[in-house]
Amino acid sequence: VAMSSKWIIYTGLVAGAMGTAVGLWMVTAPGENRRREILKNLPESNPVRLQETRRRNALELQVLKEAAETNDNVARRFGNFASQP
């Protein structure tokens, strides 16, 4: 009998903590209008910035593809600027 009452108390404490956490989450989460405003102001919403990001990603993928096709240590090409003449 004593074990079941402890179990009920601990279950209530855990449920209360979870309820408090969910309540705080709901209070601090932005509303729908604020969410739309945040999405509108993201850097990727700007077409010029989006094009730059796509170009940079394509260049990075090209470098990765070239690195995968060679057995050379590609990092040595770019990381050792001080020792180059």
Side-chain angles (χ1 to χ4, degrees):
V1 174
M3 193 62 148
S4 64
S5 64
K6 282 185 180 181
W7 190 83
I8 292 172
I9 291 172
Y10 290 141
T11 302
L13 288 174
V14 169
M18 289 175 63
T20 302
V22 168
L24 288 172
W25 182 303
M26 297 300 286
V27 168
T28 59
E32 186 62 32
N33 291 337
R34 176 71 178 133
R35 237 181 271 149
R36 281 193 209 126
E37 183 181 332
I38 290 170
L39 288 174
K40 186 170 52 171
N41 292 327
L42 285 176
E44 286 76 17
S45 297
N46 182 349
V48 174
R49 175 69 187 252
L50 182 60
Q51 189 63 27
E52 290 173 358
T53 302
R54 286 182 177 160
R55 182 176 166 269
R56 184 176 53 249
N57 288 344
L59 290 173
E60 289 173 1
L61 287 174
Q62 180 182 355
V63 168
L64 287 174
K65 183 180 176 184
E66 291 173 4
E69 292 173 350
T70 183
N71 288 331
D72 295 337
N73 186 350
V74 179
R76 288 189 180 263
R77 285 190 223 161
F78 303 107
N80 203 0
F81 293 113
S83 66
Q84 294 177 356

